[in-house]
Amino acid sequence: MLRLRQVSLALAATFVALVALWIFDSRGVVDQNDGEAPTPAANTTPGSAPTPTPAVETPTPEPTPVPILVDVPTVDLASVGEPQSGGVLGVLTFRGNATRTFDGTGPAPRNPVIRWAVPSPPGLCEVAPVDPDNPRCGVGWTGQPAVFVRDGQTWVVLGALDGNVYFLDAASGASIIEPFAFDGPVETTPTIDPDGLALAYVGGSDGTFRILSFDRPEGATELWRLEAGDLGDVRTSDDWDSSALVAGDLMVLGGENGRVIVVRLSKATDAEGFATVEPVVVWSAPTWDEQLDADLGPVDPSEDPGFSVEASVAMSGTTVWTVNSAGLVLGWDLRPLESGGEPEQVFRFWMGDDADSTIVVDSSGDLFVGQIATRGSARVGETGHLARLDPDGADPMVWTFLDGPEQFQGIRSTVAPHRDVVYATTNSGRLLAIDAANGVLRWDTQLVGPMWGSPVVVDDVLIVGDCAGVLRGYDVSDTTVAAPLLFETAIGGCLEGTPVVWDGVIFIGDRDGRIFALADN
């Protein structure tokens, strides 16, 4: 009897289990995780496969960007007219320092003769396939030789329109190392590292800005490059005419892409003692804005809209100063970069026309800005071809000077302040001496234009070249009188570049394709 009851109970338990299995199979399977609700089964229809439940992907969170912190140098106004601070003696960039006010050391020659000229004719020339009958030769605007002392030897480094950067011995003109070839003309002034590393910062008309080392056995070596189109909209072109400003571990430059750019260099030397860099662009901004577009009005797309930066960037305090080919002067304070922020625009002034002249900062912090009238803008009648601007003033215009009423009059070169006078050269070939306090013309003389090369003053001698290939020197020790002529030396073709003076020797290139050193005999 007991055995029969056990069998009955077992049959009953089996029946209950089968019923439960049938019920759950009709409603969906139970989730295998203990204590969790069952997962509903996919909808099915007779004769079809169940539709799988799509997997839900959990997005991977983006990493929070880490701001790039930089040390922002301060340019003291006491450095106006002085060589750039650092471990290298020389004129290391266009107009020598961050305020663009240093052109070399004396004694300045009083009756110079040609010490050497290289190379022999036909000179440094590039024959472009698109215009084979008009080769580009020699040193053009904005070229000024960089001159510096390294290991007891004086070097001359300059770019040429044949597409090469040359590294020459100042005593003989012979090559110290082989030239470095770009893929197009090099118009800019190379910048040499002020802290003693064998680095040259130079851009070309091939759209590329490069950092070169010149301490390796294989000669000049490219360490880094920046393409003009890497940073966004390009207005107007991809050339690099501006000379880079290097201070501390920062490099600031402007491009014909219309932008101002700040780069952290991370300079160092490797185990073999060779210079190294790991550059990072920490900030870049356009030099145009909606107001400038409105001021200029409609522009024919086939014409130059005029936003390129051909002038070199200047700096005073922690503010960098730029001007573009539409005449917009801007100042940015770089200090926010130290805490991961963006530079603050602290100054804006519209000159009105083509301002390719590099801004010069004087010892008061005022700015000298030149422009040339290419558009015939009515604004030039208010701002002149040369203006002194006080960036801290309610009305920045201290004074203006107008070269004349005609189109294409004005100043493309960079001015040279000296004591109480500002010296300038014009597109029409005038050499001007302007009172620095009030903008009144003290004296002028007519030379052969266009005069795009900038005047320089060293040891109370004003040195300037014209487009007839004549280099002149004037005694400016007494600024109250018209400067007497000291020398007049015909050396070659049009002197479109800017001279530099180092230890009594003048270095300059001409448009006929040669580089010269001149000194007293």
Side-chain angles (χ1 to χ4, degrees):
M1 191 70 180
L2 179 61
R3 181 180 182 88
L4 180 60
R5 181 179 296 175
Q6 289 174 337
V7 171
S8 298
L9 290 173
L11 290 172
T14 301
F15 176 79
V16 170
L18 289 172
V19 170
L21 181 62
W22 178 83
I23 293 172
F24 277 91
D25 187 59
S26 66
R27 296 176 58 191
V29 296
V30 178
D31 195 287
Q32 298 297 314
N33 296 322
D34 291 340
E36 295 186 5
T39 302
N43 294 329
T44 59
T45 57
S48 66
T51 303
T53 302
V56 178
E57 295 185 2
T58 303
T60 302
E62 293 290 333
T64 302
V66 178
I68 301 174
L69 306 182
V70 299
D71 292 325
V72 176
T74 299
V75 177
D76 196 319
L77 290 176
S79 67
V80 169
E82 299 296 325
Q84 187 165 350
S85 61
V88 180
L89 295 174
V91 181
L92 307 179
T93 186
F94 180 69
R95 301 302 297 271
N97 59 17
T99 57
R100 307 298 179 179
T101 55
F102 177 68
D103 291 302
T105 60
R110 261 60 178 181
N111 187 25
V113 296
I114 297 174
R115 177 177 287 182
W116 53 256
V118 296
S120 301
L124 312 173
C125 295
E126 178 200 51
V127 178
V130 295
D131 193 10
D133 296 329
N134 294 290
R136 302 188 67 183
C137 298
V139 176
W141 182 89
T142 60
Q144 182 183 36
V147 182
F148 59 98
V149 179
R150 176 175 173 82
D151 297 332
Q153 183 179 26
T154 302
W155 293 50
V156 178
V157 177
L158 77 167
L161 299 180
D162 68 345
N164 290 296
V165 177
Y166 292 90
F167 302 82
L168 307 179
D169 173 47
S172 65
S175 291
I176 299 174
I177 60 175
E178 289 300 306
F180 183 92
F182 279 61
D183 294 324
V186 180
E187 297 180 315
T188 188
T189 299
T191 293
I192 303 302
D193 189 79
D195 296 318
L197 281 77
L199 297 171
Y201 309 82
V202 58
S205 297
D206 59 355
T208 306
F209 184 92
R210 293 172 169 89
I211 300 178
L212 308 177
S213 69
F214 50 89
D215 57 356
R216 286 158 169 77
E218 59 269 29
T221 303
E222 180 181 308
L223 301 183
W224 182 76
R225 63 166 51 196
L226 176 67
E227 303 293 340
D230 288 348
L231 303 172
D233 200 7
V234 173
R235 300 170 73 175
T236 299
S237 80
D238 60 0
D239 291 0
W240 300 91
D241 285 358
S242 174
S243 183
L245 172 62
V246 176
D249 204 36
L250 280 190
M251 176 177 69
V252 188
L253 68 154
E256 288 199 38
N257 57 5
R259 306 187 72 87
V260 59
I261 303 145
V262 178
V263 179
R264 188 185 69 182
L265 294 168
S266 297
K267 299 183 292 186
T269 54
D270 63 16
E272 298 179 84
F274 298 136
T276 63
V277 289
E278 294 183 7
V280 176
V281 175
V282 297
W283 178 74
S284 173
T287 61
W288 67 88
D289 54 26
E290 292 182 359
Q291 182 61 52
L292 183 61
D293 283 331
D295 289 337
L296 291 176
V299 177
D300 186 331
S302 66
E303 296 179 355
D304 180 354
F307 299 121
S308 62
V309 179
E310 298 186 54
S312 298
V313 176
M315 186 173 183
S316 59
T318 55
T319 300
V320 294
W321 306 100
T322 66
V323 63
N324 67 18
S325 294
L328 186 59
V329 181
L330 296 171
W332 280 282
D333 186 354
L334 300 185
R335 281 178 296 181
L337 289 172
E338 295 183 326
S339 56
E342 292 197 351
E344 177 188 2
Q345 184 178 308
V346 294
F347 185 74
R348 183 189 189 280
F349 183 86
W350 185 43
M351 290 288 291
D353 217 312
D354 187 359
D356 293 334
S357 173
T358 290
I359 293 173
V360 173
V361 186
D362 81 347
S363 57
S364 72
D366 285 0
L367 315 176
F368 294 102
V369 187
Q371 66 177 344
I372 188 169
T374 60
R375 295 183 179 85
S377 169
R379 175 75 171 163
V380 176
E382 303 172 34
T383 60
H385 294 112
L386 176 64
R388 177 172 181 162
L389 305 179
D390 176 2
D392 297 321
D395 180 1
M397 280 199 301
V398 178
W399 55 254
T400 66
F401 178 87
L402 191 66
D403 180 36
E406 303 298 326
Q407 191 175 16
F408 301 113
Q409 285 188 286
I411 296 171
R412 194 180 295 277
S413 61
T414 297
V415 303
H418 174 64
R419 299 187 186 177
D420 58 345
V421 175
V422 178
Y423 299 102
T425 57
T426 74
N427 195 48
S428 60
R430 295 173 72 196
L431 171 61
L432 309 172
I434 301 170
D435 190 298
N438 56 31
V440 173
L441 181 67
R442 290 197 180 179
W443 60 265
D444 70 332
T445 187
Q446 183 67 50
L447 303 175
V448 179
M451 291 179 66
W452 292 359
S454 303
V456 303
V457 181
V458 175
D459 191 26
D460 282 334
V461 177
L462 169 65
I463 301 170
V464 61
D466 70 11
C467 211
V470 178
L471 191 69
R472 292 176 175 87
Y474 298 85
D475 180 356
V476 292
S477 57
D478 183 355
T479 60
T480 65
V481 300
L485 182 67
L486 288 174
F487 64 83
E488 190 174 49
T489 306
I491 62 173
C494 178
L495 298 173
E496 193 175 291
T498 296
V500 65
V501 183
W502 188 256
D503 197 21
V505 182
I506 303 170
F507 300 95
I508 190 171
D510 75 352
R511 283 301 308 272
D512 278 357
R514 293 199 295 171
I515 306 164
F516 299 87
L518 300 97
D520 284 336
N521 188 6

